[in-house]
Amino acid sequence: LHSEPARTMVCLIIVILGSLFFQFTEAATRSSSVTTNFHESSSFVSTNLPSDTLSSNERGKLLSENYSAQELYEAYESVYQDYDNKAFGSNDWKILHNTGDGVEVSILEHENDENCPYVRMTVIFDSPVEVVWDFLSITNWNEAFPKIDPFFDGIQIFEQETLPEKGADLTLLWKKSKRLLAFRKRDFLFVSVTNPPREDGMWVAGTVSIRTPRYPRVPGYTRAYQDSISFYEPLDGGKRTKLTAVCRLDLNDSSADGEGGLIPMWLYLRTIGNTGALVMQAMRR
């Protein structure tokens, strides 16, 4: 990879992958500020589009403008169930990179979308789950992001809610990035969900892209897509942690009514093994 576009793409992949790990648990630490209601107005102006204008081929979960917190959770839960099954129940993963010291990156073809496969990244931390979980929480974004993402341009929390019956915390966020050379600025709209530890001891959190008329595309940005679920497994009696992260990523607006984006995702697929491992190792340091 010696050309400038290739180097640019690798840099962008590192930026996006680095941000994935912080996005996995941005709701892990409950905000001490006033929680906004899911139907309060935000700084975005809704286009008031009817839900039937949204195509079933959209990237991300489709929701109407008047969605509820329960609907957001259900959007997350469907992705969580799928990724949980894929992460630990499939034998079809192809290992792209294994460093031999607990870092591994694998890929699994999506049954309906060869251009947007599942990527599984694992890393072992020499720290308890609680330490790793807190390190990746939203409270550390402003300090941690600039160290790995020079294009990070801030986040905005739109909505926060707790579902007591699920024991889940939900946070709806908008993340934006600066322009990278000739590529347009990217943004992500996703709901982050954190659950209580499972019976098997695994801690789980994730982010799921959503599409809703309440938060339409923003002029000047390409709305990228990202679903990611992370599984935190205590090791050695709780002294260490194995993080297994499964994600699907599209840096372009590839939906039926999308605006494209021009980033060559084939290059992402060719380089994800090495760049994913680099990010994992950097996170561990």
Side-chain angles (χ1 to χ4, degrees), residues 36-190:
T36 59
N37 184 276
F38 268 77
H39 295 286
E40 289 180 357
S41 61
S42 73
S43 60
F44 272 35
V45 177
S46 173
T47 57
N48 293 313
L49 293 174
S51 60
D52 61 4
T53 64
L54 297 176
S55 167
S56 60
N57 296 322
E58 292 280 356
R59 289 278 194 251
K61 295 296 181 180
L62 306 181
L63 299 175
S64 68
E65 183 168 9
N66 297 316
Y67 60 80
S68 65
Q70 179 64 32
E71 289 177 290
L72 280 176
Y73 184 80
E74 290 172 356
Y76 156 79
E77 192 169 38
S78 65
V79 173
Y80 158 64
Q81 295 292 342
D82 178 40
Y83 284 30
D84 188 17
N85 292 334
K86 293 290 194 306
F88 306 107
S90 174
N91 296 319
D92 296 327
W93 289 95
K94 177 183 177 182
I95 297 176
L96 300 178
H97 197 96
N98 190 318
T99 63
D101 62 351
V103 173
E104 182 178 282
V105 181
S106 307
I107 195 168
L108 176 66
E109 183 176 344
H110 189 276
E111 53 270 24
N112 299 317
D113 192 346
E114 64 180 9
N115 294 319
C116 193
Y118 300 90
V119 175
R120 182 180 66 187
M121 296 172 281
T122 61
V123 59
I124 295 177
F125 294 92
D126 292 325
S127 301
V129 170
E130 294 85 353
V131 173
V132 179
W133 183 274
D134 288 342
F135 170 69
L136 296 176
S137 72
I138 192 173
T139 55
N140 290 325
W141 276 32
N142 287 333
E143 178 181 355
F145 254 112
K147 297 178 182 178
I148 63 171
D149 185 352
F151 302 98
F152 174 67
D153 198 27
I155 62 170
Q156 184 175 346
I157 296 177
F158 290 157
E159 307 169 4
Q160 292 180 296
E161 186 64 277
T162 297
L163 291 179
E165 64 274 19
K166 300 290 186 180
D169 292 328
L170 289 74
T171 305
L172 187 70
L173 303 102
W174 179 56
K175 177 184 177 293
K176 55 183 180 176
S177 63
K178 301 174 183 176
R179 180 185 299 276
L180 179 60
L181 298 183
F183 295 119
R184 198 179 187 188
K185 295 181 289 185
R186 260 57 184 170
D187 70 349
F188 297 83
L189 179 68
F190 50 80

Side-chain angles (χ1 to χ4, degrees), residues 272-283:
I272 183 61
N274 290 333
T275 54
L278 287 172
V279 169
M280 299 288 263
Q281 291 174 317
M283 293 296 297

